[in-house]
Amino acid sequence: MEWAKQWAAIEPSLAEHDLRPYVFVTRDRRNVFGAVASLGDLDELVAKLQGSPLQVKQASAEVARLQTLEAEQVFDALRSKVRDAEDLAQEPVGVRGLAEVAKLHPFLQGPLLAFLKDLPVSKLGPWAVSGWTGAFNEEEAKGEFSALLTEWAGQDENKGLKTAASAVIKLLGKGGRS
C-alpha cells in the first residue's frame, strides 16, 4: 500500500478535478479493445472454470444449469482467455473449463473443434491432444476430433505435437481415453 501513497503524492494533484468522465472512457476502451465485458453473475463461474481440474469439476453442476445464451457467453469468455494466452506450449488457463462447457452443452462441441483447428500448430504443446474425450461426446464431434488428431499426427511443423497426437491415436485404437 506504500506505493499508493507515493503515487497519490505525484504532481499535479487531481483532488480538485472530477474524474468520473474518465471512468466511462476507460470502460468503453476496455470493451472496444478486446477485454471481455463483465458477465455479471457469470463472472464467478468463469473464474472457477479457469481454475484447477478439481475446481472445474466442482463447477460442473452450475455449468449444467446454464441456459443456452449463458453457456455461449461462458464459452466465449473462456475461449477468449485461451486465445489470448502467450504460451501455448503449456496448457492455457481455461482449457479444462472449455471442455466442461462443451461436454455439458453439446451444441458448443462444433465451435470448440473449430477453435482447436484455428490454434497455431507450431506453438501447441502436447496438452492439445488429451483431455477432450469427454468434451466430444457427440458422434460427429468425435469423428472430427479424430480427424484433427490424424492431421496433427501427420504434420511436420511441430514434432512434439506430432508425437503426442500419434500416441493418443494408438491409445484410442486400443480402447483408451484421451
Side-chain angles (χ1 to χ4, degrees):
M1 252 345 204
E2 187 60 35
W3 66 269
K5 292 177 184 173
Q6 291 173 349
W7 181 78
I10 296 173
E11 291 294 328
S13 173
L14 299 175
E16 298 157 7
H17 300 282
D18 181 8
L19 299 177
R20 288 179 290 181
Y22 298 100
V23 172
F24 295 114
V25 170
T26 59
R27 280 188 193 152
D28 289 345
R29 183 172 179 186
R30 185 182 65 207
N31 289 338
V32 169
F33 291 104
V36 175
S38 174
L39 298 174
D41 295 339
L42 297 176
D43 282 339
E44 187 176 322
L45 178 58
V46 169
K48 289 177 190 175
L49 292 170
Q50 293 177 45
S52 69
L54 180 60
Q55 288 173 308
V56 171
K57 277 294 177 204
Q58 289 172 337
S60 180
E62 284 181 74
V63 172
R65 287 191 298 265
L66 292 175
Q67 299 296 318
T68 301
L69 181 59
E70 294 170 324
E72 284 179 304
Q73 290 173 327
V74 168
F75 182 86
D76 288 344
L78 292 168
R79 179 173 49 188
S80 177
K81 182 74 171 176
V82 173
R83 185 182 308 120
D84 293 344
E86 291 183 26
D87 181 16
L88 292 175
Q90 303 299 318
E91 182 178 302
V93 171
V95 166
R96 294 295 138 222
L98 274 174
E100 191 66 20
V101 174
K103 178 176 89 175
L104 297 170
H105 296 277
F107 73 94
L108 292 169
Q109 292 176 21
L112 179 57
L113 274 163
F115 176 66
L116 288 173
K117 289 176 184 178
D118 287 343
L119 292 173
V121 171
S122 63
K123 296 181 180 181
L124 290 177
W127 64 268
V129 303
S130 65
W132 302 108
T133 302
F136 300 120
N137 51 28
E138 300 286 309
E139 288 306 315
E140 184 176 341
K142 284 180 187 178
E144 286 185 47
F145 182 65
S146 180
L148 179 60
L149 284 174
T150 302
E151 183 181 319
W152 284 344
Q155 55 81 34
D156 290 320
E157 190 175 351
N158 182 333
K159 300 291 184 190
L161 182 64
K162 179 177 183 157
T163 303
S166 297
V168 169
I169 290 170
K170 285 180 186 176
L171 181 66
L172 290 175
K174 294 179 182 177
R177 295 175 51 106
S178 72

